[in-house]
Amino acid sequence: MEPLIHFVLLLLSQLIIGMAFLKLFFKLEPSPQNIAFSILFGLGIHSLIPFSLELFFIPLSYFTIYIFIFFLTIFLLFTSKLNLKAIFTLFKNRIRFPNHFILLLIPLFILIGLSMWRAFYFPPFAVDITSGAEAVSMYTLKEKTLINSVFDVYQNGNTLKPAFLTSLQVIYKLAGFPFGQIWLSQIVICFLVILAAEMKITINSIIVIFLLILFLAIPEMYAYTYSLLYDYPNLIYFTSFLIYLNRFIQTQNKHNLYLSSIWLGFATYIRPETILLGVMLATVSILLLIQSKKWFDKIYSICIFSITPTFVYLISVYLYIHFYLPTTYSISAQINHQLFDFTDAWMKIKNATIDLFFSAYGISNYSYFPLLFILITFIDIVFLKFLSKNGKFYLMSISIVYVFFPLLSHVLPGMSIDYTIKRAYFKLFPLMLLYFANCGTLLKLTIKLDNFMYKGKTNSI
């Protein structure tokens, strides 16, 4: 019972911290989608607390971590003047589907329930975690420091990583969860709420439910909703970055630019290479998709955007790994010395495409979800000749992510298709979902379904 109380209190703290930040600095009002974003934001802030205490050489105990969380939560609650009762009432009343769709949601609830049970009941088993963040967090509980005796016996690329996972594991183990990773189920559910809210703006609820089930049931990805690793948390914060970047492209509201930068900062804190992909996507999007700004304003926006992820990278990677950890791991030693061998680069793209999308191995990992995306995109471009502004943004993002990781594996040959790229491509699938919500094929289907079911009246959140 005590761990459950801790979990609820941590969840409430994350909601307050996230909503307070969104309200104070970005003037965002509560909505079901913003509540989910707030919890993700608050969890990201929580992950910085043990890491920040470590930077100042403060022992990581139950008292120091939880007293910091408590005072930060109380300070932001009173500073922002949040009305928690109104927030919970709004969430209860607004995030809903019509009653006759409840049966369609049962497969989704079953998949989520099984994932939560496995995350709670089974220990982490991925080698990258058991030889890295999990081992470090276990010894942190004993020695009250992230730089503990694990590094005396074992150092590799898994132990020498930013402290996002380690910090959260420490917090939730102190809360009474022996395996810690129950927070993973929490952010997966928030992510599904965000995706559902984004999709229901434009397409019919039946299509939304169907696509969410297909998305959650992607075999390889589903395993990482309960198997602790860096990739699923990274794709959640990475997708949040792109959602707000797209809002900036469409509205040119600076608050959306700043928030997208923060989301990319969290994604970089999880996987450092994300900063390269994120800044590349932001640069291309701002330069090509914003028509009304002057070039100086575009360059200025890109520079402002880059500040937060760059700061996070410098603190969590350069400072922490190089000056705090007893590191002997050097990324420069892993770089390919034949960078201009374009034949090899092309072969990496070709092999990743064939192996992961057009083979029995690829179907066993990703099912038919990529093929569905290819089919719908083909219909949009060839037959309907229609691409919305949002659709163009997500289609461009998908293309850049698709090319980026094989090219990165060309630069860093240690990145294999079967492991690293296969998991890195998880980032493609939520972007495909967001493209579906803005594609001509499903928009036309939505009009027909709405006319049939609601006599022209749409159902929205």
Side-chain angles (χ1 to χ4, degrees):
M1 189 64 182
E2 186 177 344
L4 178 60
I5 295 173
H6 275 84
F7 179 81
V8 172
L9 290 175
L10 284 170
L11 182 62
L12 183 61
S13 168
Q14 290 156 11
L15 173 62
I16 292 171
I17 290 172
M19 187 59 72
F21 267 100
L22 294 179
K23 182 180 179 182
L24 283 171
F25 300 105
F26 304 104
K27 312 303 180 186
L28 292 182
E29 293 302 321
S31 71
Q33 191 180 30
N34 286 341
I35 289 173
F37 272 126
S38 297
I39 293 172
L40 290 180
F41 196 101
L43 185 130
I45 296 297
H46 274 194
S47 72
L48 291 170
I49 290 172
F51 173 62
S52 300
L53 294 175
E54 184 66 51
L55 292 180
F56 289 97
F57 304 102
I58 299 173
L60 304 182
S61 65
Y62 181 93
F63 176 78
T64 57
I65 291 174
Y66 276 84
I67 202 69
F68 197 102
I69 291 174
F70 174 77
F71 280 114
L72 178 63
T73 304
I74 295 300
F75 173 77
L76 289 173
L77 176 62
F78 287 101
T79 303
S80 61
K81 300 178 182 178
L82 287 178
N83 186 339
L84 291 179
K85 183 179 179 180
I87 291 175
F88 287 122
T89 301
L90 176 138
F91 188 82
K92 178 182 177 181
N93 293 337
R94 294 288 298 280
I95 187 70
R96 66 184 185 273
F97 288 86
N99 292 332
H100 47 282
F101 291 165
I102 296 299
L103 290 178
L104 298 178
L105 289 168
I106 290 176
L108 197 62
F109 290 151
I110 291 174
L111 288 171
I112 293 171
L114 288 173
S115 175
M116 290 181 66
W117 176 77
R118 292 198 58 143
F120 168 77
Y121 192 77
F122 287 99
F125 56 84
V127 174
D128 287 0
I129 293 300
T130 55
S131 63
E134 179 66 6
V136 175
S137 66
M138 288 295 294
Y139 276 84
T140 298
L141 299 183
K142 300 176 182 179
E143 302 176 20
K144 296 180 172 52
T145 175
L146 296 176
I147 298 97
N148 50 56
S149 56
V150 166
F151 296 97
D152 295 336
V153 296
Y154 191 72
Q155 295 180 35
N156 72 348
N158 296 325
T159 54
L160 307 175
K161 287 184 177 179
F164 177 86
L165 290 189
T166 306
S167 295
L168 288 175
Q169 287 296 93
V170 168
I171 290 173
Y172 281 82
K173 286 176 185 293
L174 287 173
F177 295 95
F179 307 135
Q181 62 195 10
I182 191 65
W183 59 267
L184 181 59
S185 299
Q186 173 186 317
I187 66 172
V188 168
I189 293 172
C190 287
F191 189 50
L192 292 175
V193 170
I194 291 168
L195 292 175
E198 284 287 311
M199 296 169 71
K200 282 188 68 183
I201 294 171
T202 52
I203 59 178
N204 184 274
S205 295
I206 290 180
I207 303 174
V208 172
I209 295 170
F210 177 71
L211 290 175
L212 283 177
I213 292 172
L214 289 182
F215 170 75
L216 187 59
I218 294 172
E220 186 71 13
M221 277 189 70
Y222 180 69
Y224 289 100
T225 63
Y226 56 81
S227 174
L228 185 63
L229 210 59
Y230 297 90
D231 303 276
Y232 215 108
N234 178 252
L235 83 86
I236 290 174
Y237 285 96
F238 178 79
T239 305
S240 301
F241 139 68
L242 280 178
I243 288 173
Y244 275 93
L245 178 63
N246 182 44
R247 291 180 183 178
F248 171 69
I249 298 297
Q250 307 306 331
T251 66
Q252 298 185 35
N253 184 327
K254 288 290 186 180
H255 285 164
N256 290 326
L257 179 69
Y258 304 148
L259 262 177
S260 70
S261 178
I262 293 173
W263 289 118
L264 182 61
F266 284 131
T268 301
Y269 182 37
I270 303 170
R271 292 197 68 100
E273 75 276 5
T274 312
I275 189 174
L276 298 175
L277 176 58
V279 172
M280 182 187 304
L281 277 164
T283 301
V284 173
S285 301
I286 291 172
L287 292 180
L288 297 184
L289 299 182
I290 295 181
Q291 302 297 329
S292 59
K293 279 183 173 286
K294 297 179 181 179
W295 280 96
F296 176 82
D297 294 332
K298 292 183 178 182
I299 299 299
Y300 177 76
S301 296
I302 294 168
C303 293
I304 292 297
F305 166 84
S306 303
I307 291 175
T308 300
T310 302
F311 177 78
V312 170
Y313 182 88
L314 290 175
I315 298 298
S316 66
V317 177
Y318 185 76
L319 176 64
Y320 179 65
I321 293 178
H322 290 90
F323 293 97
Y324 281 74
L325 298 184
T327 176
T328 56
Y329 184 79
S330 173
I331 193 68
S332 60
Q334 314 300 320
I335 294 178
N336 183 7
H337 297 295
Q338 304 294 327
L339 288 179
F340 296 102
D341 183 358
F342 298 113
T343 301
D344 177 70
W346 166 249
M347 289 302 296
K348 290 288 177 63
I349 297 174
K350 178 182 176 183
N351 292 338
T353 303
I354 294 173
D355 292 351
L356 297 178
F357 298 131
F358 299 104
S359 69
Y361 173 73
I363 292 173
S364 69
N365 286 310
Y366 299 153
S367 187
Y368 295 96
F369 199 88
L371 301 182
L372 176 64
F373 166 75
I374 293 171
L375 174 62
I376 290 178
T377 306
F378 179 79
I379 294 172
D380 283 348
I381 295 174
V382 175
F383 293 103
L384 300 181
K385 296 180 173 60
F386 171 82
L387 285 176
S388 67
K389 290 182 179 180
N390 290 331
K392 289 178 182 178
F393 173 83
Y394 288 116
L395 198 59
M396 184 199 70
S397 300
I398 290 166
S399 302
I400 292 175
V401 172
Y402 161 69
V403 173
F404 176 82
F405 285 105
L407 291 181
L408 187 61
S409 74
H410 169 66
V411 177
L412 301 172
M415 293 180 60
S416 67
I417 291 176
D418 292 342
Y419 295 98
T420 312
I421 296 179
K422 179 180 70 175
R423 298 197 302 260
Y425 270 172
F426 289 173
K427 293 181 181 66
L428 290 171
F429 303 123
L431 301 184
M432 291 178 183
L433 271 185
L434 294 170
Y435 174 76
F436 288 155
N438 297 279
C439 70
T441 303
L442 296 186
L443 291 176
K444 282 183 173 293
L445 181 59
T446 290
I447 293 172
K448 293 181 179 180
L449 284 173
D450 286 347
N451 287 334
F452 175 74
M453 296 169 59
Y454 307 114
K455 296 181 180 179
K457 296 181 180 180
T458 59
N459 176 61
S460 60
I461 287 179

